[in-house]
Amino acid sequence: MNQTTDLELNVTTEQGLRALAEAGHTVEVLCKVEPERKGPSWYGLWIMRTVGNDGQEKILVTARTRLTQNAIRVREFKTATGVISFLVGVGFAQASIPMKNGEKTSHNLISD
């Protein structure tokens, strides 16, 4: 019996996140560990997700390292600089980073 099931995962890669942001989805930065200042830098734990107009969410995952075949890992950012660099790389002109555990900030690409 050959039966296929189309599954739509609630995850996306960096390339997928860029495409979704360009299509009008909101990119949210979520703070998972309240950051601490060490010298001039802030260290914490942030993740990102996209949210479409229909409310569907997709969490950013890494495609660079796979511990085992078909392993999916949430992409984690451990510095505020990493979050800023990623958002600017996607095309955002500004970066807002939540600094309290459980908080989130939203970003939308502005079309000219």
Side-chain angles (χ1 to χ4, degrees), residues 16-92:
L17 182 135
R18 286 174 196 249
L20 290 168
E22 289 171 1
H25 291 233
T26 299
V27 174
E28 293 182 342
V29 180
L30 294 89
C31 181
K32 301 305 258 177
V33 173
E34 197 161 314
E36 294 180 26
R37 187 174 182 174
K38 296 179 184 175
S41 300
W42 288 90
Y43 294 85
L45 183 63
W46 295 270
I47 63 169
M48 293 190 199
R49 69 180 174 201
T50 62
V51 181
N53 292 333
D54 60 359
Q56 184 177 3
E57 301 174 358
K58 291 190 178 274
I59 296 174
L60 178 64
V61 296
T62 181
R64 286 186 271 176
T65 25
R66 297 193 185 262
L67 300 175
T68 62
Q69 189 174 0
N70 297 325
I72 296 176
R73 290 185 52 217
V74 173
R75 176 131 182 221
E76 297 176 336
F77 296 85
K78 296 182 180 167
T79 66
T81 302
V83 174
I84 293 166
S85 296
F86 182 85
L87 291 171
V88 169
V90 168
F92 293 101

